[in-house]
Amino acid sequence: MCARESETSVPGVPKTTLEPAAAADTPHPEGVTEEEFRAAMSRLAAGVTLITAHEPALTSDGPRGEDVGMTATAFMSVSLDPPLVLVSLREGSRMDDLLAEQPMWAVSILADSQLQVAGRFAMKGRISDRLLFEGVPYERGPLSGAPLLTGALATLECRTESRVPAGDHTLVIGRVLSATLPTPDAPPLTYFRGRYRHLSG
């Protein structure tokens, strides 16, 4: 379920995070309104990930391309054999446009200590990705070239297998090429009812 960004209080981060957006109470032909759909899906707790990719330089002798990142909660495993995952991207977003051309990308599953990272990469009208990555510790994936966050619960490097148009989003299915566990025992960052949450023990 996708959400719109709105203001909230996050220490050290501009007052933005994901929040269910108000919508006109207009039913679709099937009868459910956008407001009803958003309210129902906001009750589905989800893990929080950072999807990253490296945009190649325009020319072989030009400057290094830029890293791109976005916070995503619409992420799931699809298959064990072969290992496949799926992420839902807003149609026409920068990440959607980049992954239409760049088949290699990465996922960092965020720990609860990385709430500020989640908020930073979910900001509406945000600054450039180059500035967003400043001060965020990461290693560059050897296969994808994409940033893998230090301190994440797990990181994956993926290659796109297929892209499926789905309403106002694109479902990107990727084959997992590598998986690491930087901090496997840290508590996860979760998202529920429009807010980031700490998982109580």
Side-chain angles (χ1 to χ4, degrees), residues 96-163:
D96 183 34
D97 290 343
L98 176 55
L99 294 192
E101 301 178 357
Q102 163 63 283
M104 304 296 290
W105 45 285
V107 183
S108 295
I109 301 175
L110 301 187
D112 69 350
S113 61
Q114 296 173 311
L115 184 150
Q116 293 185 13
V117 173
R120 177 184 292 195
F121 283 90
M123 289 189 295
K124 185 177 181 179
R126 65 193 199 183
I127 59 178
S128 74
D129 287 82
R130 188 181 302 277
L131 294 176
L132 287 175
F133 277 103
E134 284 190 359
V136 176
Y138 66 84
E139 298 179 359
R140 194 165 295 283
L143 303 176
S144 65
L148 305 174
L149 294 194
T150 303
L153 297 178
T155 61
L156 309 172
E157 291 187 273
C158 307
R159 181 183 65 236
T160 298
E161 291 275 296
S162 61
R163 292 169 53 87

Side-chain angles (χ1 to χ4, degrees), residues 11-12 24 29-30 35-36 47 50 54 61 83 96 114 130 180 186 199:
E30 291 78 9
E35 185 177 62
E36 290 168 340
L50 183 71
H54 182 72
D61 58 350
D96 183 34
Q114 296 173 311
R130 188 181 302 277
T180 61
L199 187 66

Side-chain angles (χ1 to χ4, degrees), residues 70-92:
M70 60 161 277
T71 303
T73 57
F75 174 82
M76 62 179 289
S77 63
V78 175
S79 167
L80 183 62
D81 184 18
L84 300 175
V85 294
L86 177 152
V87 64
S88 179
L89 306 176
R90 181 172 52 82
E91 184 182 19

